[in-house]
Amino acid sequence: MKRILVTGFEPFGGEAINPSLEVLKLLPKKIKDFEVITQQLPVVFGKSLEVLYAAIEKEKPDAVLCVGQAGGRKEITVERVGINVDDARIPDNEDNQPIDEKIFEDGENAYFAKLPIKAMVEAMKRQDIPAMVSNSAGTYVCNHLMYGLLYYINKNNRNLQGGFVHIPFITEQVKDKENVPAMELEDIAKGLELAIGAMAELKEDIKVTGGTIY
Ligand code: PCA
């Protein structure tokens, strides 16, 4: 059986929870022909990647899907690209706040996700889970992790499938916030299961548009 490593982040930015961590608890142990392994990561530049690399070396997965919270987004967004820059809007959980620093000096400017991103989005939308392709994972710890994963894949293990999914706030996080979109945790879990199912079935992506003007 193939193995997929799915990661989630600890809370950050003043939030009590991070849905990316909560959702790991709801994922089935098996999805299609993937056995699911989960890993919690710190919201810390550098350290998040160290923990990710150690988990990859230990578990030797066939695929890695990293998940993070993107508060304010309405849909589950499958990220297309990771870029070689850290530019932190707020300090991370250990008070690091890099500004315009390269993640890896010897890395490309950007790496594309090694995932069938369109097929993952379509699998979710078909079951009425709001989903779209995102063309920017930002410049905080999530982009740092995505870029670092793809750097690792490009340098060390080209057979590994890997990429990143951002998820919205869940309903309980927006009770005291005005006009901030959210999804039910159960729907996010269902969406991720469908997206991972598409990863299990496809190496090549499907041809549908994921372009946006903004
Ligand atoms: N979201 C942050 C980092 C951790 C998380 O869950 C981000 O989008 O960069």
Side-chain angles (χ1 to χ4, degrees), residues 75 80 110 119 151 167 179 202:
E75 308 89 354
R80 191 194 296 262
Y151 171 92
I167 60 176
N179 291 327
L202 285 174

Side-chain angles (χ1 to χ4, degrees), residues 49 81-87 100-111 138-139 143-144 146-148 151:
L49 275 178
V81 62
I83 59 176
N84 193 6
V85 64
D86 289 333
D87 189 1
D100 294 348
E101 288 178 18
K102 277 195 173 190
I103 302 170
F104 285 103
E105 281 297 333
D106 66 342
E108 301 290 341
N109 284 335
Y111 294 109
T139 53
N143 172 72
H144 180 88
M146 177 177 183
Y147 180 87
Y151 171 92

Side-chain angles (χ1 to χ4, degrees), residues 6-11 16-27 38-42 67-69 167 185 192:
V6 187
T7 70
F9 277 110
E10 64 188 12
I17 60 166
N18 190 324
S20 70
L21 195 56
E22 302 306 315
V23 78
L24 297 187
K25 301 172 196 159
L26 299 189
L27 287 183
T38 61
Q39 175 71 49
Q40 173 175 339
L41 299 177
V67 186
Q69 162 191 298
I167 60 176
L185 183 61
L192 287 186

Side-chain angles (χ1 to χ4, degrees), residues 8-12 18-21 41-45 67-71 73 79 89-90 93 137-145 164-167:
F9 277 110
E10 64 188 12
F12 72 104
N18 190 324
S20 70
L21 195 56
L41 299 177
V43 181
V44 180
F45 290 99
V67 186
Q69 162 191 298
R73 287 193 185 171
E79 298 294 347
R89 170 179 58 86
I90 51 172
N93 284 358
T139 53
Y140 193 51
V141 180
C142 287
N143 172 72
H144 180 88
L145 186 77
F164 198 96
V165 170
H166 263 124
I167 60 176

Side-chain angles (χ1 to χ4, degrees), residues 193-204:
E193 184 177 346
L194 291 163
I196 292 168
M199 285 173 65
E201 279 171 356
L202 285 174
K203 280 251 171 188
E204 295 292 315

Side-chain angles (χ1 to χ4, degrees), residues 5-213:
L5 176 68
V6 187
T7 70
F9 277 110
E10 64 188 12
F12 72 104
E15 293 291 321
I17 60 166
N18 190 324
S20 70
L21 195 56
E22 302 306 315
V23 78
L24 297 187
K25 301 172 196 159
L26 299 189
L27 287 183
K29 298 270 168 291
K30 294 202 165 67
I31 300 175
K32 297 265 169 74
D33 58 343
F34 274 135
E35 180 192 344
V36 177
I37 305 152
T38 61
Q39 175 71 49
Q40 173 175 339
L41 299 177
V43 181
V44 180
F45 290 99
K47 219 178 245 182
S48 50
L49 275 178
E50 285 166 28
V51 179
L52 176 73
Y53 292 159
I56 294 173
E57 301 290 335
K58 176 166 172 262
E59 304 289 354
K60 307 208 175 350
D62 302 281
V64 181
L65 187 65
C66 299
V67 186
Q69 162 191 298
R73 287 193 185 171
K74 294 194 296 293
E75 308 89 354
I76 298 180
T77 49
V78 184
E79 298 294 347
R80 191 194 296 262
V81 62
I83 59 176
N84 193 6
V85 64
D86 289 333
D87 189 1
R89 170 179 58 86
I90 51 172
D92 70 13
N93 284 358
E94 290 188 358
D95 257 347
N96 308 296
Q97 191 167 13
I99 293 176
D100 294 348
E101 288 178 18
K102 277 195 173 190
I103 302 170
F104 285 103
E105 281 297 333
D106 66 342
E108 301 290 341
N109 284 335
Y111 294 109
F112 288 116
K114 278 197 65 191
L115 296 176
I117 57 171
K118 306 284 182 68
M120 293 164 71
V121 167
E122 290 302 304
M124 291 190 270
K125 281 173 34 182
R126 270 201 302 272
Q127 302 289 327
D128 292 328
I129 303 290
M132 66 187 287
V133 168
S134 160
N135 296 307
S136 171
T139 53
Y140 193 51
V141 180
C142 287
N143 172 72
H144 180 88
L145 186 77
M146 177 177 183
Y147 180 87
L149 168 62
L150 296 170
Y151 171 92
Y152 175 93
I153 290 174
N154 277 275
K155 297 269 178 199
N156 302 301
N157 184 353
R158 288 173 172 274
N159 292 323
L160 193 59
Q161 229 186 345
F164 198 96
V165 170
H166 263 124
I167 60 176
F169 282 135
I170 56 172
T171 318
E172 63 176 274
Q173 288 178 285
V174 298
K175 277 198 203 106
D176 302 324
K177 302 182 176 88
E178 246 172 71
N179 291 327
V180 178
M183 282 177 68
E184 297 297 331
L185 183 61
E186 289 70 22
D187 289 338
I188 296 177
K190 189 173 153 202
L192 287 186
E193 184 177 346
L194 291 163
I196 292 168
M199 285 173 65
E201 279 171 356
L202 285 174
K203 280 251 171 188
E204 295 292 315
D205 208 351
I206 58 173
K207 203 132 187 132
V208 293
T209 182
T212 54
I213 203 157

